[in-house]
Amino acid sequence: MRTDIFARLDREPEPPKIETPRMSRHRIALFGGTLAFYLAIVLAVLVSSWLVALDWKVMLFRPYQQWPELHAFLDYYVVLGQRGPTAVMVASWLGWRSWRQHTLRPLLTLGTSLLLLNLSVGAVKLGLGRLGPHYATQIGSAELFAGGDIFPSGHTANAVVTWGILAYLATTPRARRYLSALSAFVSLGVGLTTVYIGTHWLSDVLLGWAAGLLILLALPWFEPLITRTEAWILAVREQWRARRRLRESVPPAPVSPEPVLLPRTPGSGTGPEAAAREATKGRSTASGAAGRAGTAARARAHQGHPVRAERTPPAGTRRPPHADRPPRSSAGPARPVAGGPVAP
């Protein structure tokens, strides 16, 4: 007998009515405050303020040397912020949800958030070009516009967006609270782990948190686009299914038997000679059949009459004699053999 836990794994009979998040006043206020914090971090790094000095103090402290026993574990933990593994894990879960709830919204929302993350974070990374702690050249410098790509932290921003999207797509307030706390803990730990390992400055992590949170807060603005995209994809799918059903319902056209081509024997050809041979063969076959039919008719007509004895052919030749040619005799003069003497 099935329990309620396994019953929840079945596909729902129809799409559930899930309320789409909207840009409320509270969300707009959070978005504005996060954006101000984002710009403040960028400005503090640009002017090489106290934040840059703090970056250098933390880097020179070398946390990975202070607590080396954590290094092995944190090397694996930081994978929770890498784009490839986290995207595969979250996309697998959201793909199952899309199948169960008859909707593409979870997958489309994840794709939209990752696209916004690549565009926004990637543009700032390439525009500021900051070098990481391991490649720094001057103590106390912000290391900007030097060809780097670590500001803001991509690991941190990706952890905020990838795990935060689970809370954003939660269907109940209770699940949303639990998933929000879980995503905050994971993203916070991933950011601090990059500082511990020494791959990012502390300001990189702060800006990564702000960048990921801005994307999550801005997602309701893209909900109409996600809805239109889902409707278009489902319409295309229905058209494709209708065409397939139409092809299956139409019976196949009858196929006429193709003529069997016999192999040509050597010497046989196509042309007047072959046509003449065929005509002669047909006439001989027809005459043979007619002869057999006539013989059978004569046999039926003479039934009951005595059969005549076969006549013996006359002796001698039946050819008429010629006046200008002497009769042949059985023994005539011997002909001379060419090339030999004549017999006396």
Side-chain angles (χ1 to χ4, degrees):
M1 186 175 181
R2 303 185 63 183
T3 61
D4 185 60
I5 297 177
F6 293 101
R8 290 185 178 182
L9 298 178
D10 292 338
R11 196 177 191 187
E12 298 183 7
E14 59 182 10
K17 296 181 180 180
I18 301 176
E19 184 179 358
T20 303
R22 298 180 180 182
M23 287 301 293
S24 60
R25 294 181 179 180
H26 178 70
R27 185 179 289 269
I28 292 176
L30 287 176
F31 181 84
T34 307
L35 181 60
F37 179 77
Y38 184 96
L39 297 177
I41 296 295
V42 173
L43 182 61
V45 174
L46 285 174
V47 300
S48 299
S49 65
W50 60 270
L51 186 58
V52 176
L54 181 61
D55 288 338
W56 278 98
K57 289 180 180 180
V58 173
M59 191 272 287
L60 294 175
F61 181 69
R62 291 181 174 84
Y64 58 90
Q65 292 182 355
Q66 302 297 327
W67 301 285
E69 64 276 3
L70 300 177
H71 205 293
F73 169 74
L74 294 180
D75 278 341
Y76 291 100
Y77 183 80
V78 79
V79 177
L80 295 177
Q82 289 185 356
R83 184 71 48 81
T86 56
V88 170
M89 289 187 291
V90 176
S92 301
W93 169 259
L94 295 182
W96 176 79
R97 275 195 56 186
S98 296
W99 170 82
R100 183 173 181 267
Q101 297 178 349
H102 305 269
T103 177
L104 297 177
R105 180 173 170 265
L107 287 177
L108 292 177
T109 305
L110 175 64
T112 302
S113 62
L114 293 180
L115 180 61
L116 293 175
L117 178 66
N118 290 334
L119 293 178
S120 60
V121 174
V124 177
K125 277 177 174 287
L126 297 178
L128 297 178
R130 191 181 190 186
L131 294 175
H134 293 315
Y135 302 96
T137 57
Q138 184 179 357
I139 296 179
S141 172
E143 302 293 338
L144 294 173
F145 311 109
D149 57 351
I150 54 98
F151 183 68
S153 171
H155 271 69
T156 306
N158 182 73
V160 174
V161 172
T162 306
W163 301 109
I165 203 71
L166 299 178
Y168 178 83
L169 294 172
T171 56
T172 61
R174 182 180 180 182
R176 187 175 296 111
R177 287 194 300 268
Y178 288 160
L179 291 175
S180 298
L182 177 63
S183 62
F185 175 79
V186 172
S187 58
L188 181 65
V190 168
L192 294 179
T193 300
T194 59
V195 176
Y196 168 87
I197 297 174
T199 56
H200 280 287
W201 306 99
L202 180 60
S203 57
D204 298 341
V205 175
L206 295 177
L207 196 65
W209 285 331
L213 186 57
L214 282 176
I215 293 173
L216 290 178
L217 292 174
L219 276 179
W221 280 330
F222 296 90
E223 286 292 343
L225 177 61
I226 294 173
T227 302
R228 289 194 298 268
T229 304
E230 180 185 12
W232 177 78
I233 294 176
L234 294 179
V236 172
R237 186 190 65 175
E238 291 301 324
Q239 292 177 2
W240 179 77
R241 287 181 176 179
R243 287 196 298 266
R244 187 179 63 178
R245 287 193 296 266
L246 181 62
R247 286 195 302 266
E248 293 176 353
S249 62
V250 175
V255 180
S256 58
E258 298 183 356
V260 179
L261 301 178
L262 299 176
R264 295 174 57 186
T265 58
S268 63
T270 58
E273 298 179 358
R277 286 196 299 270
E278 294 294 333
T280 304
K281 183 178 180 182
R283 286 196 298 270
S284 62
T285 303
S287 61
R292 288 192 297 271
T295 304
R298 286 194 298 271
R300 288 192 300 269
H302 291 286
Q303 287 181 358
H305 296 277
V307 180
R308 294 185 301 174
E310 294 292 339
R311 292 183 299 176
T312 304
T317 180
R318 302 178 64 180
R319 183 180 299 175
H322 294 273
D324 56 348
R325 181 181 300 175
R328 293 183 178 180
S329 58
S330 60
R335 293 184 179 182
V337 180
V342 179

